């Protein structure tokens, strides 16, 4: 058996077509053009690439975007003052602070300065809290993208066993909550988990977000399982995931590639959240 490869690029393109239509109708019906402001502190080359991709995607969908590129040494007050200005700017519906921030900055304090109604990354405690309570507004983008890829397999999650490897606030925890909301029985693994192979092997749905190249091999995977590889690991040969693709494709029922799986979905979901924020602004549905 060989797994069906889930083409994240194709799914993301499909979503973009719908989003471009949503942008047009919002402009037509309410005269509102969704606007995204991206703040990048420092000059991390990978972050720079992500910020450029976001700008290009905004242009492609007919959205307004602004980039704020700040030197690595920028004091925290200057960053939070910029965020306050953007919070009050009606052209901007979504504010994204590109992570990671330089070590000296208190990431939490910076993220908490973003108005929750413009927090299109979904990392503000208000939006995280809503997710925990089962009534999310802005779902973090990578977890939202993962759920969309799983949805498109057509598999009903109710009663299925789902295992998530990784417990970060960005991926592991929120995706676990989303799987739970779909009535899966969820197990979360991390670096202290005993018998990772055994726990993973019970999963009908296995989501891996550990940041360890090829952590998951054939033995971790139940035959026929859906395996979502979130990992992005840079190796001299190029990008590799947390899943050993060649081994696991022989066992899994569905598998996402790296690159071309979860990655393209993340940016599509960011655009979707920004359009949602603009729609809530246009129709006065602020929290
Ligand atoms: P973090 O480093 O914040 O978290 C990694 C998690 O994996 C931790 O909970 C850690 O456990 C766990 N872990 C590490 N090693 C092991 C192990 N050997 N066995 C079991 N668990 C382990 O990473 P992120 O969640 O931010 O990202 C994870 C990966 O996903 C990275 O490769 C990142 O680049 C990628 N990513 C991809 C995105 C995309 O758009 N495709 C978006 C975001 C991230 P513990 O808590 O105990 O330390």
């Amino acid at each position: 058996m060989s797994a069906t490869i889930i083409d994240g690029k194709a799914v993301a393109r499909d979503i973009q077509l719908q989003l471009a239509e949503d942008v047009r109708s919002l402009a037509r019906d309410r005269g509102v053009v969704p606007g995204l402001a991206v703040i990048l502190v420092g000059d991390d080359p990978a972050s720079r690439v992500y910020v450029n991709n976001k700008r290009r995607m905004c242009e492609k969908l007919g959205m307004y975007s602004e980039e704020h590129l700040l030197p690595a040494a920028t004091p925290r007050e200057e960053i939070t003052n910029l965020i306050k200005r953007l919070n009050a700017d009606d052209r901007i519906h979504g504010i994204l602070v590109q992570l990671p921030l330089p070590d000296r900055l208190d990431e939490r304090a910076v993220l908490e300065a973003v108005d929750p109604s413009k927090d299109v990354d979904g990392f503000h405690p208000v939006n995280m809290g809503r997710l925990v309570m089962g009534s999310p507004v802005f779902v973090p983008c990578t977890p939202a993208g993962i759920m969309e890829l799983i949805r498109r397999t057509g598999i009903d999650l109710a009663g299925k066993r789902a295992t998530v490897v990784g417990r970060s606030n960005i991926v592991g925890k929120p995706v676990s909550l989303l799987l739970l909301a779909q009535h899966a029985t969820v197990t979360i693994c991390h670096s202290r988990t005993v018998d990772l192979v055994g726990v993973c092997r019970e999963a009908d749905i296995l989501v891996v977000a550990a940041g360890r190249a090829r952590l998951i091999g054939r033995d971790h995977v139940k035959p026929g399982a859906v395996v979502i590889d979130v990992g992005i690991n840079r190796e001299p040969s190029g990008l590799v995931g947390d899943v050993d693709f060649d081994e696991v494709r022989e066992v899994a029922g569905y598998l996402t590639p790296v690159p071309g799986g979860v990655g393209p979905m993340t940016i599509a979901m960011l655009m979707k959240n920004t359009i949602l924020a603009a729609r809530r602004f246009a129709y006065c549905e602020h929290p």
Side-chain angles (χ1 to χ4, degrees):
M1 192 179 79
S2 188
T4 300
I5 305 305
I6 302 175
D7 185 348
K9 269 194 203 159
V11 177
R13 268 198 303 272
D14 194 32
I15 291 171
Q16 282 161 28
L17 289 177
Q18 179 58 52
L19 295 179
E21 178 52 37
D22 293 347
V23 171
R24 281 193 292 275
S25 60
L26 200 53
R28 190 182 55 228
D29 299 343
R30 307 294 293 193
V32 171
V33 175
L36 175 69
V38 178
I39 301 171
L40 174 62
V41 186
D43 51 9
D44 176 61
S47 294
R48 187 65 248 196
V49 170
Y50 295 143
V51 169
N52 285 339
N53 289 344
K54 285 162 192 168
R55 188 195 58 237
R56 275 200 289 271
M57 186 59 72
C58 283
E59 285 165 7
K60 196 170 160 189
L61 298 182
M63 293 163 56
Y64 173 69
S65 73
E66 276 182 16
E67 274 173 26
H68 296 269
L69 308 177
L70 308 177
T74 308
R76 190 180 92 194
E77 293 66 37
E78 212 173 292
I79 302 169
T80 49
N81 284 339
L82 168 62
I83 292 173
K84 279 181 200 153
R85 279 209 309 280
L86 295 168
N87 283 342
D89 184 341
D90 282 351
R91 284 172 312 170
I92 298 298
H93 307 102
I95 301 170
L96 181 141
V97 180
Q98 185 66 49
L99 301 178
L101 287 170
D103 285 344
R104 63 180 179 82
L105 286 168
D106 178 354
E107 196 166 283
R108 207 186 59 176
V110 173
L111 293 180
E112 288 186 15
V114 176
D115 182 329
S117 68
K118 298 192 176 189
D119 169 42
V120 286
D121 243 346
F123 294 153
H124 191 285
V126 166
N127 285 314
M128 279 291 197
R130 288 182 177 136
L131 181 63
V132 172
M133 298 184 81
S135 51
V137 176
F138 299 114
V139 174
C141 304
T142 301
I146 293 168
M147 294 306 290
E148 181 62 23
L149 292 179
I150 296 173
R151 192 182 71 78
R152 288 183 183 230
T153 65
I155 290 171
D156 180 8
L157 290 176
K160 296 285 189 311
R161 287 190 168 229
T163 297
V164 177
V165 184
R167 56 175 164 180
S168 71
N169 290 332
I170 293 173
V171 188
K173 277 184 207 159
V175 82
S176 303
L177 290 163
L178 293 168
L179 289 161
L180 185 63
Q182 297 286 313
H183 313 296
T185 301
V186 182
T187 304
I188 306 174
C189 301
H190 43 78
S191 63
R192 318 276 175 93
T193 295
V194 175
D195 187 19
L196 185 68
V197 171
V199 179
C200 289
R201 221 184 141 76
E202 292 200 340
D204 303 302
I205 315 290
L206 180 59
V207 177
V208 191
R212 300 278 180 273
R214 300 183 200 82
L215 173 70
I216 301 298
R218 180 198 319 270
D219 294 344
H220 294 78
V221 177
K222 178 176 176 177
V226 178
V227 180
I228 306 289
D229 187 356
V230 189
I232 301 177
N233 305 289
R234 285 165 216 282
E235 292 200 335
S237 58
L239 294 185
V240 296
D242 290 352
V243 173
D244 187 321
F245 185 84
D246 293 331
E247 272 193 35
V248 170
R249 76 179 306 177
E250 300 304 324
V251 195
Y254 293 87
L255 176 61
T256 59
V258 176
V262 174
M265 293 299 290
T266 298
I267 190 161
M269 292 298 147
L270 172 67
M271 299 297 135
K272 190 174 176 186
N273 277 349
T274 306
I275 296 165
L276 172 64
R279 174 168 288 277
R280 289 168 63 83
F281 169 79
Y283 289 94
C284 300
E285 292 170 3
H286 287 286

